[in-house]
Amino acid sequence: MLKHLYIKNFTLIDELDISLYEGFSVITGETGAGKSIILGAIALLLGQRADSKTIKQGAEKCVIEAHFDLSRYNMQAFFDENDIEYDADDCIIRRELTAAGKSRAFINDTPVALSMLKELGDQLMDVHSQHQNLLLNKQDFQLEVVDIIADDAAQLTKYQQTYTAYQAAEKELAELQAAIERNRENRDFLQFQYEELENAHLVEGEQEELEQRSDTMEHSEDIKSALYTTDNALSADQNGVIEQLRSSLSALRSIEAVYPEVGDLIQRIDSSYIDLKDVAHEISSLLESVDFDPAELDQVNNRLDRIYELEKKYHVDAIEALIEKREMLHQQLQAIENGDESLDEVKARVSQLEAQARKEAEALTKLRTKAVKKIEDEMQKRLVPLGMPHVRFSIQLTTIELGVNGCDRVSFLFSANTSTPLQPVSQVASGGEIARVMLSLKAMISGAVKLPTIIFDEIDTGVSGKTAEMMAQIMKEMGGHGRQVISITHLPQIAALGSVHYKVEKNETANGTTSKMRQLDADERIREIAQMLSGSDVSEAAIQNAKALLGH
């Protein structure tokens, strides 16, 4: 229940700070006084997108804040799921807009995304404006009404899960059929490509090894020359480095006894001598192994040319990518061979899911059929007292192809007279009749949905007199049992039945036009209703009529 509303710097409102109460309340005011501005502010609290132009001219920031009492609505799960502090007695929703175009939303001082604000707002309040009467044209709305009264949310969710799986399987089947068809058309080409790569006997790492071997053989003469020069420098009998080191070691050892200082040098030269002997041995072995074979070079280059040719043909740059392509072609060919088997498996799954979806849809239809009878009886009882003694209201439930909401199409049929056949309500009902139908639907739905707050914005359009009084009685009845119903109205019959009466006024000041809303006391209320009865010149008769309406 909305218990407090604060608005600052929103269009014509400087500052509004007002308390609201449970039960049935009314808001009145002349056309253009600013009632729609207050609704616009509430819409922002419920998650509507903001426009910086709504900020009062000259102000830097606009703030809209509402306090809700949720103690009777068991809504803690939403706050726990979204990691928001929960206070059942005082839930605070705030929206801030800046002149720079920035928008921020808060729930209990926790910054939240606009989508989350809207999700919570949908559970807190329903604002029924005149344009919502157009919902009667919408088949989805009519189906939603039936589903609410049928209390079939669990069954609908169960069906939708099955239907989603069924749709996914149908999509998979269509894609598989298309892929198999494409592959079969290209089967010969795929087979040729696979055999070409398979017959190439490709091996991972082969290309690098062949490239290295080719490079080595093409430079074999340079390699042999360098190895021969090094071998000669190290191992020549007279001038080789190794022979020179051996002679040096012999000379130093001959003086070591009388000149110990050379001991360390002998060890170092001896170590170098051993290392160089090993190096010389390895170079000698390499020299013997290097042998240029033109035939082998041609063989290596021919193999490389074949690999390069395949890489160019298949638009890759490594032998590993060719191997991957070969395996992919193999899988495609296997899929073609096993296509019918795979197709049969998916077809069986589609059939199974379709049968399950139809079974779940039939269960939905049974729940809806029972609800249809209940709605028809309830609407008949509600509409007759609203000035339509010969009204007929019927719901046509027809079978359609499986869809996201089952296999039912709902159509609300209406006739205000015994002589007029039942036709879709949006085609035959007048504006006033549609308003009464919508009020009756909302009254019926409110008992099932248990929304904390419902606001009616001039739902009384097109009615007057006794009918207006009956509509007020319905709204007052809806406001019972701890619920809050607020009606914005121009009719004194409705305004008189409110437990609390607010008035919206527009004033001209030195700083421009401002709009404000205030709660009326008993005397102010009498005068306001009298003015609604008689116009700007309030007569004594109007005062007495107002008192009579108020039960004074």
Side-chain angles (χ1 to χ4, degrees):
M1 182 193 79
L2 177 61
K3 63 180 185 177
H4 198 89
L5 181 64
Y6 177 80
I7 304 173
K8 185 176 179 63
N9 296 329
F10 184 73
T11 64
L12 299 181
I13 298 174
D14 284 332
E15 188 172 38
L16 185 151
D17 193 1
I18 197 161
S19 297
L20 297 107
Y21 307 92
E22 68 178 55
F24 179 45
S25 302
V26 295
I27 300 174
T28 61
E30 296 180 3
T31 301
K35 300 185 293 297
S36 61
I37 294 174
I38 295 170
L39 284 180
I42 291 174
L44 289 179
L45 278 178
L46 299 182
Q48 181 176 298
R49 293 204 172 276
D51 185 346
S52 59
K53 294 178 182 177
T54 57
I55 299 176
K56 187 172 178 63
Q57 189 173 6
E60 291 297 319
K61 185 169 77 169
C62 159
V63 177
I64 305 163
E65 182 175 286
H67 293 244
F68 288 86
D69 180 355
L70 308 181
S71 57
R72 285 175 287 193
Y73 297 97
N74 193 27
M75 296 177 65
Q76 184 167 353
F78 171 87
F79 294 84
D80 292 343
E81 288 170 7
N82 293 290
D83 196 23
I84 298 173
E85 182 182 350
Y86 178 64
D87 185 342
D89 297 320
D90 189 25
C91 173
I92 305 171
I93 296 179
R94 187 169 77 256
R95 190 85 183 271
E96 297 179 359
L97 313 177
T98 68
K102 292 184 179 180
S103 169
R104 297 195 299 169
F106 302 85
I107 299 175
N108 290 339
D109 288 328
T110 299
V112 297
L114 205 57
S115 57
M116 189 180 298
L117 190 69
K118 187 178 188 306
E119 183 182 349
L120 178 59
D122 288 342
Q123 300 178 55
L124 293 176
M125 188 180 295
D126 175 34
V127 179
H128 181 94
S129 56
Q130 292 183 56
H131 77 270
Q132 270 198 309
N133 290 337
L134 298 175
L135 288 174
L136 276 179
N137 295 325
K138 306 294 185 183
Q139 200 274 331
D140 287 348
F141 171 76
Q142 297 179 17
L143 181 60
E144 184 181 1
V145 170
V146 173
D147 283 338
I148 289 172
I149 302 305
D151 192 21
D152 60 10
Q155 179 59 36
L156 180 58
T157 299
K158 187 178 179 182
Y159 163 77
Q160 287 176 335
Q161 289 172 344
T162 303
Y163 179 71
T164 299
Y166 165 57
Q167 279 191 311
E170 277 201 317
K171 182 180 179 183
E172 181 184 349
L173 176 60
E175 290 176 348
L176 180 59
Q177 287 173 325
I180 289 173
E181 185 63 30
R182 285 194 306 271
N183 287 340
R184 281 177 176 164
E185 290 175 358
N186 296 326
R187 181 173 182 171
D188 291 342
F189 180 59
L190 295 175
Q191 185 69 38
F192 168 77
Q193 288 185 312
Y194 171 71
E195 290 178 356
E196 181 177 46
L197 293 174
E198 177 69 11
N199 293 335
H201 303 294
L202 303 169
V203 179
E204 286 189 21
E206 179 186 12
Q207 182 176 344
E208 290 183 4
E209 182 182 342
L210 288 172
E211 287 172 340
Q212 182 60 54
R213 285 175 61 191
S214 174
D215 199 36
T216 298
M217 284 189 286
E218 287 179 353
H219 295 85
S220 61
E221 292 300 324
D222 295 334
I223 294 169
K224 289 184 74 171
S225 176
L227 290 173
Y228 178 79
T229 300
T230 306
D231 181 62
N232 187 57
L234 292 173
S235 304
D237 291 340
Q238 298 297 327
N239 297 319
V241 173
I242 293 172
E243 180 61 28
Q244 294 291 329
L245 284 175
R246 191 185 66 76
S247 299
S248 299
L249 281 171
S250 179
L252 290 174
R253 281 173 179 154
S254 68
I255 64 170
E256 183 178 9
V258 296
Y259 191 55
E261 284 83 352
V262 300
D264 181 58
L265 296 173
I266 291 171
Q267 290 180 3
R268 290 163 64 186
I269 294 172
D270 188 46
S271 176
S272 298
Y273 174 72
I274 294 170
D275 286 343
L276 285 174
K277 279 185 70 176
D278 286 342
V279 170
H281 179 72
E282 288 185 26
I283 287 176
S284 179
S285 297
L286 289 173
L287 185 60
E288 292 176 2
S289 67
V290 174
D291 188 20
F292 174 67
D293 183 352
E296 184 183 358
L297 179 59
D298 287 342
Q299 185 180 2
V300 168
N301 286 337
N302 287 337
R303 178 62 173 166
L304 281 173
D305 287 343
R306 179 57 176 157
I307 293 172
Y308 294 150
E309 179 186 358
L310 290 172
E311 287 176 348
K312 182 178 180 181
K313 181 175 182 178
Y314 290 98
H315 307 290
V316 297
D317 57 5
I319 196 170
E320 288 72 21
L322 287 174
I323 294 171
E324 185 178 341
K325 175 70 174 178
R326 181 189 65 195
E327 295 307 310
M328 185 185 72
L329 289 167
H330 182 59
Q331 290 173 9
Q332 285 180 288
L333 289 168
Q334 282 189 320
I336 293 171
E337 292 298 324
N338 303 325
D340 290 338
E341 183 180 336
S342 300
L343 208 59
D344 289 342
E345 289 178 4
V346 179
K347 283 180 178 178
R349 187 148 44 89
V350 169
S351 296
Q352 180 185 0
L353 287 169
E354 181 183 7
Q356 183 65 25
R358 291 194 182 281
K359 181 180 177 181
E360 303 290 357
E362 286 173 10
L364 259 182
T365 300
K366 288 180 181 179
L367 292 173
R368 287 166 175 167
T369 301
K370 293 172 77 172
V372 161
K373 178 61 178 171
K374 183 178 179 179
I375 295 169
E376 289 175 341
D377 293 344
E378 180 81 9
M379 290 295 288
Q380 192 75 20
K381 291 176 184 177
R382 290 184 177 278
L383 288 172
V384 169
L386 291 178
M388 292 186 281
H390 305 297
V391 69
R392 285 176 294 156
F393 185 90
S394 178
I395 299 177
Q396 186 180 66
L397 204 62
T398 54
T399 302
I400 59 174
E401 285 300 312
L402 289 178
V404 70
N405 291 312
C407 60
D408 303 310
R409 183 189 299 280
V410 171
S411 181
F412 287 178
L413 305 179
F414 174 86
S415 174
N417 308 295
T418 54
S419 59
T420 306
L422 285 165
Q423 295 184 54
V425 63
S426 59
Q427 296 179 15
V428 295
S430 66
E433 289 168 343
I434 285 178
R436 282 173 273 179
V437 169
M438 284 299 292
L439 177 60
S440 299
L441 286 172
K442 290 276 184 173
M444 181 178 60
I445 290 171
S446 67
V449 175
K450 301 291 190 294
L451 269 173
T453 300
I454 303 172
I455 299 177
F456 290 106
D457 180 19
E458 299 183 10
I459 196 170
D460 48 40
T461 300
V463 299
S464 59
K466 185 67 175 175
T467 300
E469 185 178 342
M470 292 304 299
M471 291 179 74
Q473 288 288 358
I474 290 175
M475 286 186 275
K476 187 172 184 178
E477 178 187 321
M478 291 171 65
H481 311 293
R483 195 174 290 111
Q484 180 183 50
V485 175
I486 301 170
S487 176
I488 298 173
T489 182
H490 287 293
L491 297 182
Q493 294 90 342
I494 291 178
L497 283 184
S499 301
V500 182
H501 191 151
Y502 303 91
K503 183 175 182 179
V504 178
E505 301 170 305
K506 187 163 65 174
N507 299 310
E508 298 294 336
T509 69
N511 296 323
T513 305
T514 62
S515 180
K516 64 178 182 178
M517 183 172 84
R518 61 188 179 89
Q519 183 178 339
L520 301 182
D521 61 26
D523 290 338
E524 289 173 328
R525 192 173 184 192
I526 291 171
R527 186 165 187 84
E528 172 68 8
I529 292 176
Q531 189 171 357
M532 294 172 74
L533 286 164
S534 64
S536 56
D537 296 326
V538 178
S539 63
E540 182 59 31
I543 295 288
Q544 295 305 315
N545 286 339
K547 289 181 178 179
L549 282 175
L550 289 165
H552 291 181

